[in-house]
């Protein structure tokens, strides 16, 4: 089986909304227990992820950052785990008040949501900029 302590670094003022592990083979969803901390001036969301041998799981994390007049950009760095194959990733940015532009260009755009539904074989940096 696979066992990993997964950590997500988010902006320091991010609030975790939810963390779910999904077994799509049987339609099962379970909330993950998340440890919250601060490190390197970032909010850190950490959780133990266990996947039985021969199976797969999806991890869905949702967090919010406050809309402030001074915040106009966000850099999101997806660091691929060394020694593993390609990682399927569905990354969405949502805003009802701002227009969001992503670099590299988003592959998904619909009703205030932009993002990616793809496979990453190496580290990826996404630059998100928004304007009213």
């Amino acid at each position: 089986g696979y066992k990993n302590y997964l950590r997500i670094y988010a902006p320091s003022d991010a609030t975790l909304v939810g963390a779910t592990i999904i077994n799509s083979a049987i339609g099962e969803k379970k909330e993950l227990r998340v440890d919250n901390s601060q490190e390197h001036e970032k909010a850190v969301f950490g959780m133990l992820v266990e996947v039985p041998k021969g199976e797969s799981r999806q991890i869905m994390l949702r967090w919010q950052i406050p809309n402030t007049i001074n915040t106009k950009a966000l850099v999101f760095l997806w660091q691929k785990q060394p020694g593993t194959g390609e990682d399927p990733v569905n990354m969405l940015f949502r805003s009802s008040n701002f227009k969001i532009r992503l670099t590299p260009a988003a592959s998904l755009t619909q009703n205030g949501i932009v993002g990616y539904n793809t496979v990453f074989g190496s580290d990826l940096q996404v630059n998100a900029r928004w304007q009213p």
Side-chain angles (χ1 to χ4, degrees):
Y2 176 81
K3 189 174 190 177
N4 180 42
Y5 189 77
L6 176 66
R7 290 185 303 166
I8 303 295
Y9 288 76
S12 61
D13 55 355
T15 303
L16 186 69
V17 175
T20 307
I21 186 165
I22 303 165
N23 180 348
S24 54
I26 62 172
E28 179 182 67
K29 295 180 181 182
K30 291 183 181 176
E31 289 299 310
L32 290 167
R33 183 176 105 31
V34 178
D35 301 319
N36 295 293
S37 63
Q38 293 280 321
E39 187 177 320
H40 305 293
E41 298 181 17
K42 302 282 184 198
V44 181
F45 310 125
M47 66 224 70
L48 183 62
V49 176
E50 297 183 73
V51 180
K53 184 177 180 179
E55 296 185 21
S56 65
R57 297 292 186 272
Q58 296 174 352
I59 306 297
M60 182 170 60
L61 298 172
R62 297 173 314 280
W63 69 84
Q64 293 178 319
I65 55 174
N67 287 337
T68 64
I69 194 93
N70 297 327
T71 305
K72 295 187 172 135
L74 176 70
V75 177
F76 186 92
L77 176 61
W78 178 274
Q79 290 181 292
K80 185 188 168 308
Q81 181 175 342
T84 63
E86 294 181 324
D87 294 323
V89 173
N90 184 330
M91 184 185 328
L92 301 175
F93 296 82
R94 178 183 323 217
S95 176
S96 56
N97 302 324
F98 299 95
K99 183 173 184 175
I100 303 171
R101 295 192 188 275
L102 301 180
T103 306
S107 60
L108 299 172
T109 57
Q110 181 180 20
N111 301 330
I113 299 172
V114 296
Y116 310 94
N117 186 12
T118 189
V119 176
F120 295 137
S122 61
D123 291 355
L124 174 73
Q125 180 172 312
V126 173
N127 296 298
R129 294 183 127 342
W130 53 89
Q131 38 190 194

